[in-house]
Amino acid sequence: MTEPRTAPRLVATDLDGTLLCTGGTVSERTAAALAAAEEAGIQVVFVTGRPPRWMQQLRPHVGGHGVAICSNGGAVLDVRRGELVEYFPMSAGTALAVVEALRTELPGTAFAFEHADGWAREPGYEVLMWGDDMVCAIGAAEELLAEDGPVRGLFKLLAKHPDLDPDTFLTEARRVAGHLAEITRSSPIPLLEISAPGVTKASTLARWCAEHGIDRSEVVAFGDMPNDLEMLAWAGTAYAVANAHPQVLAAVPLHTVSNEQDGVAAVLERFLPGVCL
């Protein structure tokens, strides 16, 4: 893979650990690069593992289209209106099969559920992130996913383990349940992100591009964690930021500087030299 000589039609970028600085902020340099790209006719689409409920602070930066691909491709959000455009649900039966497999083979695993009306969790799923106290329901997976339960339109299943190494957790989970669903990770803690079969960042980005007449060769993508790998492999050009997971650095030939050094902006400025700060 070589660096593009002309500007892309679309930039697809992960957020945490890639575009955003520590604390989830957008630097002045990155904000200027995003705005200049949109003004130059380059679409910028955020493609993130974040759930829709964590996107509102990014409203000023979503560009003219106003949408973001969230939950590793599980949902497309109109960020300005705070409304789901579409989502790709996992059936309750599939989710319960994953839960049973992980509980059996990896004892201590607890689960949470991102769905069309919010999120729910099991009692053993510790709340550590901002906004996670705004849970809509707490109960066992079987109760939450029951036909008359509160979880409807499940598009992301979360699995957390109290003490396994994060990479080991992913490897073992894929071994026992990878045939049932898409399993990945983006957190520094043992937390897995699970989507319906075939639903990844790449699959939903590909749909978006097809709907807008954009070929994959016209896409430049940026990422840092295993949940970005499918997207980075799909895009015509892909960059790993310098702080990326070793697996991502090894898989992606092109690298840019770290998120703290505005790695995405550093690449965009090559097409938009007037925005360099």
Side-chain angles (χ1 to χ4, degrees), residues 56-251:
Q56 290 310 306
Q57 68 268 41
L58 293 163
R59 288 176 65 184
H61 308 290
V62 291
H65 53 79
V67 305
I69 295 172
C70 300
S71 298
N72 295 328
V76 179
L77 178 72
D78 184 316
V79 179
R80 293 198 183 94
R81 293 187 299 168
E83 296 178 0
L84 289 178
V85 175
E86 60 181 339
Y87 60 92
F88 306 98
M90 177 189 301
S91 71
T94 296
L96 287 172
V98 173
V99 167
E100 181 178 1
L102 296 185
R103 275 184 184 160
T104 300
E105 297 294 329
L106 300 168
T109 303
F111 300 90
F113 311 87
E114 297 283 356
H115 59 103
D117 294 325
W119 87 288
R121 67 176 177 87
E122 292 192 309
Y125 187 97
E126 293 185 5
V127 176
L128 298 174
M129 300 296 288
W130 65 88
D132 281 359
D133 56 334
M134 300 174 65
V135 65
C136 71
I138 299 174
E142 293 78 5
E143 299 170 357
L144 297 173
L145 294 169
E147 187 174 349
D148 59 350
V151 174
R152 291 286 185 273
L154 173 68
F155 50 76
K156 186 176 181 183
L157 172 64
L158 297 164
K160 186 184 291 186
H161 197 277
D163 50 33
L164 279 176
D165 169 78
D167 285 326
T168 300
F169 191 23
L170 175 59
T171 299
E172 290 300 299
R174 284 176 168 171
R175 178 181 64 81
V176 301
H179 61 291
L180 297 170
E182 304 293 335
I183 306 176
T184 190
R185 60 170 288 254
S186 64
S187 173
I189 65 172
L191 174 64
L192 303 180
E193 303 161 53
I194 305 168
S195 304
V199 176
T200 66
K201 287 188 175 187
S203 68
T204 303
L205 177 61
R207 285 173 58 95
W208 169 269
C209 289
E211 290 167 359
H212 291 79
I214 298 172
D215 188 79
R216 62 191 291 183
S217 65
E218 300 173 299
V219 177
V220 173
F222 298 86
D224 74 308
M225 287 295 281
N227 66 326
D228 295 314
L229 284 169
E230 292 88 354
M231 175 178 73
L232 296 173
W234 178 85
T237 305
Y239 291 84
V241 287
N243 54 288
H245 188 284
Q247 184 181 357
V248 177
L249 291 171

